[in-house]
Amino acid sequence: MRLFVQTLDNKFITNLIASSSPNIQIMGGAILNNLYKIHYSYKFDAYVFVSSLITPEVYQFINEFYTECRMIVYSDKDENTDIIESINNKIIYLTEDTKSVINNSIKIPILINDKLFFDHNTTDRLDAIACFVDNNKESIKKIAQILYPKSKDKIHIFSKSLDHPQNLGPASESEKAEILNYYKTYLCIDNYYAVEALCCGASLISINEDGSYYVPSIDASEAQTYTNFLYQILS
C-alpha cells in the first residue's frame, strides 16, 4: 500500500507521515497544483487531504479517482462543510471534533507515535515543568495565569505562538520526545501530549480554571498507534 499525505504543520499529519511500515509506504508533500503529476508519477493507492486545503484541483481529483484510490480527508478545521458534504460518499472523513456536522465522520481516537515517544529510562531528569502550547487561544489563556509574574514556578513553554520570556520556542516532534524524556514533569493543557508524556516516563499534571494544579486521570494504554489506525481505515 502506497499512501500520499498532504503536508500540514499539525500534530496528527506530522506523526501520520512518520508512521510508514513494511505494509504501508507513506510519502508526505505539498500539492501546489501538482496533484495529477504526483498521481501519474507514483500511482498511490490512497491519499490523505486536509479539509482547509481542499482546492478545486483536489475536489476534481477526488471526484475523478475515488473509485480507483482510497480518498481520506482530515478535518483540521470544521470548515468547507458544503464541499465535504458533496463528496461525503467518496471519502473517509477523519475528525477530532466530537460535534462534527459531517455525516459518517470517523472520530480520531487517542493516538501515539510509538516510534518516537517512549521511555529512554533517563535517570537524571530536570526538576522543572515542560509544557507544549498550540495556537488555541483558550490554551494560551490558561497557561498565562501560571507564568511569571503571576507565578514563580519553574515552567518552560515550547510554543510558536506565545510571547513570553518563559517560552523557549517551537519544538519538532523528535525534539518533543527528547524534552519529555528530559523533564521530570509535563503540564498538559486539554490533554495535549498527555499520553506522549506518560509513555516517555514524565509525571503528568494539569491546571484548573483557577490556576491550581491537579493530576489528570489518563490511561496511556488506551492509546492506539498511528500505524494500527491506518491499517483500520485502509482495510
Side-chain angles (χ1 to χ4, degrees):
M1 170 73 73
R2 293 166 57 82
L3 174 68
F4 178 85
V5 180
Q6 186 177 19
T7 51
L8 180 72
D9 185 12
N10 166 281
K11 178 185 177 185
F12 175 80
I13 292 294
T14 301
N15 283 288
L16 194 69
I17 293 171
S19 299
S20 286
S21 68
N23 295 324
I24 303 178
Q25 300 172 30
I26 303 173
M27 184 175 112
I31 291 175
L32 303 175
N33 298 318
N34 282 321
L35 182 54
Y36 282 83
K37 181 179 179 180
I38 290 170
H39 177 68
Y40 288 119
S41 297
Y42 296 97
K43 295 292 184 181
F44 289 100
D45 303 294
Y47 291 82
V48 176
F49 300 112
V50 177
S51 64
S52 66
L53 301 179
I54 290 182
T55 61
E57 178 192 25
V58 174
Y59 182 79
Q60 179 180 328
F61 181 83
I62 291 174
N63 279 293
E64 189 172 341
F65 289 101
Y66 76 96
T67 58
E68 299 176 25
C69 309
R70 193 70 58 86
M71 300 294 178
I72 302 165
V73 175
Y74 165 70
S75 172
D76 60 324
K77 300 174 184 176
D78 207 0
E79 58 182 31
N80 290 335
T81 53
D82 290 342
I83 293 176
I84 298 299
E85 286 286 8
S86 70
I87 55 174
N88 194 31
N89 63 332
K90 302 169 185 175
I91 64 171
I92 298 171
Y93 188 70
L94 305 178
T95 179
E96 293 167 312
D97 184 4
T98 56
K99 299 179 181 178
S100 175
V101 298
I102 304 299
N103 293 327
N104 302 319
S105 59
I106 295 177
K107 172 70 169 63
I108 298 172
I110 300 172
L111 297 173
I112 182 70
N113 182 347
D114 59 342
K115 298 175 183 178
L116 267 184
F117 296 96
F118 58 90
D119 194 347
H120 297 176
N121 296 315
T122 306
T123 56
D124 188 21
R125 289 177 178 260
L126 181 66
D127 190 11
I129 301 170
C131 180
F132 305 143
V133 180
D134 62 9
N135 294 325
N136 186 294
K137 291 181 180 179
E138 288 301 315
S139 297
I140 294 174
K141 183 179 178 181
K142 282 184 180 180
I143 197 68
Q145 64 185 326
I146 58 170
L147 298 179
Y148 183 85
K150 296 182 179 180
S151 167
K152 294 185 179 180
D153 291 346
K154 196 173 180 180
I155 302 173
H156 297 161
I157 305 299
F158 298 87
S159 172
K160 63 181 178 182
S161 55
L162 182 64
D163 184 16
H164 193 279
Q166 285 172 259
N167 181 18
L168 303 184
S172 67
E173 291 299 298
S174 59
E175 289 170 335
K176 287 174 181 174
E178 293 296 328
I179 290 166
L180 293 175
N181 271 283
Y182 179 63
Y183 283 75
K184 272 188 179 181
T185 306
Y186 176 72
L187 170 63
C188 69
I189 308 295
D190 299 326
N191 294 341
Y192 191 56
Y193 282 90
V195 168
E196 286 83 356
L198 291 174
C199 288
C200 289
S203 299
L204 193 64
I205 60 172
S206 190
I207 53 173
N208 292 302
E209 294 298 328
D210 63 359
S212 60
Y213 296 121
Y214 71 95
V215 178
S217 178
I218 295 174
D219 186 357
S221 66
E222 295 179 357
Q224 189 175 346
T225 67
Y226 282 82
T227 302
N228 286 342
F229 181 60
L230 272 177
Y231 284 146
Q232 287 184 10
I233 63 176
L234 292 174
S235 60

